[in-house]
Amino acid sequence: MARKPSVPREMIGLAGSLPDGRPVLPTLTDRQLEILKFIYSYALKNRDYPIGAEIGEGVGITKQAVASALDTLTKKGYVWRDRNFLERNIRLTEAASERMELEAGDLFKRS
């Protein structure tokens, strides 16, 4: 089983680090956060990751816009592509998963 990278090496040091040594991830636009939340919730609900077309349909954007957003999220250290799979190869980094878990917890506390 391939190990999930937490943040690409080139991202370390760009946004600083936390007291435990983990890097602080760059900020996201509202759209990027929406896509990240969609990927996270889709994976939890379906026990698999979405393909680009499903992300586009889920957030209401084109496949080209999804591809661009995923490239940006990869550069920012939130997602990576598992090259062992031709389809459904989008994966959240460990840091992105932690952030989504915290956001989900905050959402549940507010309800």
Side-chain angles (χ1 to χ4, degrees):
M1 179 179 205
R3 193 182 126 237
K4 289 192 298 188
S6 57
V7 175
R9 283 193 184 105
E10 61 272 9
M11 293 303 304
I12 296 175
L14 291 180
S17 62
L18 298 170
D20 64 3
R22 291 179 302 151
V24 174
L25 292 173
T27 57
L28 297 172
T29 65
D30 290 342
R31 178 63 63 159
Q32 291 165 350
L33 184 57
E34 181 182 13
I35 291 169
L36 204 59
K37 286 180 178 180
F38 178 84
I39 294 169
Y40 179 77
S41 63
Y42 184 99
L44 287 178
K45 180 181 176 186
N46 298 291
R47 312 262 322 142
D48 201 359
Y49 285 92
I51 59 174
E54 292 166 332
I55 296 170
E57 185 177 312
V59 298
I61 59 176
T62 65
K63 286 192 281 186
Q64 292 82 6
V66 170
S68 176
L70 290 174
D71 286 344
T72 301
L73 287 169
T74 299
K75 289 175 186 168
K76 288 186 172 187
Y78 287 94
V79 301
W80 62 287
R81 292 192 183 260
D82 186 343
R83 299 297 177 195
N84 294 316
F85 298 94
L86 293 176
E87 290 186 354
R88 300 191 186 282
N89 63 1
I90 300 161
R91 303 288 184 261
L92 297 177
T93 62
E94 185 177 331
S97 294
E98 288 175 12
R99 178 174 176 170
M100 292 297 97
E101 288 169 11
L102 288 172
E103 297 234 357
D106 287 344
L107 291 174
F108 293 130
K109 289 177 190 173
R110 289 185 212 149
S111 332

